[in-house]
Amino acid sequence: MAQEIKVPTLGESVTEATVGEWLKQPGDPVQRDEPIASLETDKVAVEVPSPIAGVMGELKVGVGDTVEVGTVIATVEEGSAGAAKPAAPKVESKDAPAPSPAPAPAQAKAASGDESIAMSPAVRRAVLEAGVDPTQIKGTGKDGRLTKEDVLAAAEAKKSGGAAQAAPAASASPAPAATGERREERVKMTRMRQTIAKRLKGAQENAALLTTFNDVDMSAVIETRNRYKDLFAKKHDIRLGFMGFFSKAACLALRDVPSVNAYIEGDEIVYHDYVDISVAVSAPNGLVVPVVRDVDQKGFAQIEKDIADFGARAKDGTLTMDDMKGGTFTISNGGVFGSLMSTPIINPPQSAVLGLHRIEDRPVVVDGEIVIRPMMYIALSYDHRLIDGREAVTALKIIKEAIEDPARMLIDL
């Protein structure tokens, strides 16, 4: 008996999603509660589990199709999961690009035979561009699936003289050599990327954006971190990073300059007596901003644990809608990618965002002498409709002073 698989409830005010990836194909064995598809919503990817054990049946929609909550997207034939049926043709989206006449070797099949490797469109493109064998790469994503980072790491290892990949089996008609011709590829934007584009453009159109800068001597924080990192890790089972310091420093600034922790709604200003910090983290489909709740009430260890958990789940694509709700202020760390300076864009309806950047040794003047110090540029972008320049500069200065003298965070100065 066939069981219909429908699009589940996706979250508050979310009524539709895009089919991002089929994790099972017709004829594949399926266990109860095993994910069979990944749907992309405006903010997160949602996996659709099978309600029964059996064999994957018909796929009603294709990758890239937009589906509403309650729509039947597939069927599962109830019965023994081991008695797999012959695989039916894969449903493709009408918007999906036509398959290449000469696909990369081992792209879609595992080395052991005909077991398909589940790869998202982004990972599949990375495999094609890098020219690596996905069957030889250990996946670090959920359930061992390949991520784009896995593919890029394998490509880098190959370039730097890593183990040579096994030569593909000889085919009847080898792929033609590159002729140097210029090519273009059209790829439909994911729902998440479309939403990111709309929100960022909306922030520019609706807010009066301005950015103020400062630089921070990171010597004291680095010294403190080096002195206590081993004890911290042993006691709390988490690495002591820099985000904990900047999160607590931001709490001091937001308390003293409450407009930076507020937002405009109609003709009113909404102030918060709590601090929920949205932390920008990189996910395979784009930048996401999960929220660390009540940062002003948490210690360094819990803040670091929350951020580490969000980072891991963003990579695996397991963040939920609830993880993304709310947020009164955002911290974006472009320094992990090597950024020296930037003007971050606020995350509506918030009114301010703190941008962090890379640390580099620079000559500075201290007590009349030129010395070399580890310096970081920091930026505060803000909505000038609500936050005056004096308030923005003051808030950034408080953050700078707290980082340069971490004891301020302990004695609440």
Side-chain angles (χ1 to χ4, degrees):
M1 179 178 178
Q3 172 78 46
E4 292 183 338
I5 309 299
K6 298 180 180 181
V7 177
T9 301
L10 301 171
E12 183 181 354
S13 75
V14 181
T15 60
E16 62 181 22
T18 300
V19 179
E21 177 183 6
W22 281 108
L23 306 177
K24 293 288 184 178
Q25 292 297 315
D28 289 348
V30 177
Q31 300 298 328
R32 181 183 176 89
D33 295 328
E34 184 178 11
I36 63 168
S38 177
L39 305 180
E40 295 178 354
T41 69
D42 291 352
K43 296 183 178 180
V44 296
V46 177
E47 290 187 336
V48 180
S50 173
I52 60 173
V55 178
M56 193 67 188
E58 181 184 0
L59 307 185
K60 301 285 189 180
V61 294
V63 172
D65 288 353
T66 297
V67 291
E68 296 182 351
V69 172
T71 300
V72 176
I73 59 174
T75 60
V76 172
E77 298 289 340
E78 189 173 7
S80 172
K85 298 180 180 179
K90 182 178 179 181
V91 177
E92 295 290 346
S93 168
K94 59 187 177 182
D95 295 325
S100 169
Q107 172 192 331
K109 299 294 179 182
S112 59
D114 60 357
E115 182 183 356
S116 295
I117 297 177
M119 291 188 290
S120 68
V123 173
R124 192 176 300 277
R125 286 198 301 273
V127 167
L128 290 170
E129 293 169 358
V132 295
D133 182 353
T135 66
Q136 304 301 314
I137 305 173
K138 181 177 176 59
T140 61
K142 187 175 182 180
D143 298 327
R145 293 206 296 270
L146 290 183
T147 68
K148 187 176 181 180
E149 289 75 14
D150 296 332
V151 176
L152 296 179
E156 186 62 30
K158 181 180 178 182
K159 288 180 182 177
S160 59
Q165 303 227 357
S171 60
S173 56
T179 60
E181 64 178 277
R182 300 166 65 187
R183 299 195 310 161
E184 293 181 350
E185 180 185 10
R186 289 182 180 270
V187 179
K188 186 176 180 179
M189 294 174 67
T190 64
R191 178 172 292 274
M192 183 182 293
R193 175 54 60 186
Q194 292 178 48
T195 301
I196 291 172
K198 291 177 182 177
R199 285 176 61 84
L200 295 183
K201 186 59 180 175
Q204 287 184 320
E205 292 175 347
N206 298 324
L209 290 179
L210 192 61
T211 304
T212 184
F213 298 92
N214 214 319
D215 61 355
V216 177
D217 185 344
M218 297 290 292
S219 300
V221 163
I222 291 174
E223 180 183 353
T224 301
R225 181 172 177 267
N226 289 340
R227 182 184 302 173
Y228 297 111
K229 64 180 181 180
D230 292 336
L231 289 173
F232 187 89
K234 182 177 181 180
K235 180 176 180 179
H236 300 292
D237 195 29
I238 190 68
R239 186 179 69 91
L240 178 60
F242 294 124
M243 285 297 291
F245 288 96
F246 278 101
S247 297
K248 298 302 287 186
C251 288
L252 296 180
L254 301 183
R255 180 201 62 187
D256 289 355
V257 189
S259 61
V260 180
N261 197 40
Y263 69 94
I264 294 175
E265 186 174 62
D267 59 357
E268 297 179 330
I269 299 174
V270 180
Y271 292 94
H272 304 97
D273 66 352
Y274 55 89
V275 177
D276 288 350
I277 294 184
S278 302
V279 180
V281 295
S282 181
N285 291 333
L287 197 70
V288 293
V289 279
V291 180
V292 182
R293 316 284 176 185
D294 300 313
V295 177
D296 51 328
Q297 304 297 322
K298 292 179 177 177
F300 279 71
Q302 191 57 55
I303 294 172
E304 293 289 358
K305 287 179 180 179
D306 289 349
I307 294 173
D309 176 61
F310 284 144
R313 291 199 285 132
K315 183 178 180 181
D316 291 342
T318 57
L319 288 173
T320 67
M321 297 295 292
D322 286 340
D323 293 328
M324 322 287 279
K325 288 181 182 177
T328 63
F329 182 75
T330 295
I331 298 179
S332 178
N333 186 5
V336 297
F337 305 110
S339 172
L340 175 64
M341 187 180 293
S342 67
T343 56
I345 299 179
I346 63 174
N347 179 26
Q350 298 172 21
S351 297
V353 52
L354 175 66
L356 309 182
H357 304 91
R358 76 169 184 252
I359 303 170
E360 62 176 10
D361 289 339
R362 294 203 301 268
V364 295
V365 178
V366 178
D367 297 329
E369 295 185 354
I370 298 177
V371 296
I372 302 298
R373 292 290 175 87
M375 304 296 294
M376 176 196 287
Y377 289 116
I378 57 176
L380 185 74
S381 291
Y382 58 99
D383 187 346
H384 209 349
R385 297 177 303 164
L386 171 60
I387 304 169
D388 295 331
R390 175 183 60 83
E391 294 175 309
V393 171
T394 299
L396 198 60
K397 185 170 179 287
I398 292 172
I399 294 173
K400 168 185 169 70
E401 291 172 345
I403 294 298
E404 293 184 339
D405 185 7
R408 286 175 172 266
M409 294 181 240
L410 299 178
I411 58 178
D412 198 19
L413 284 180

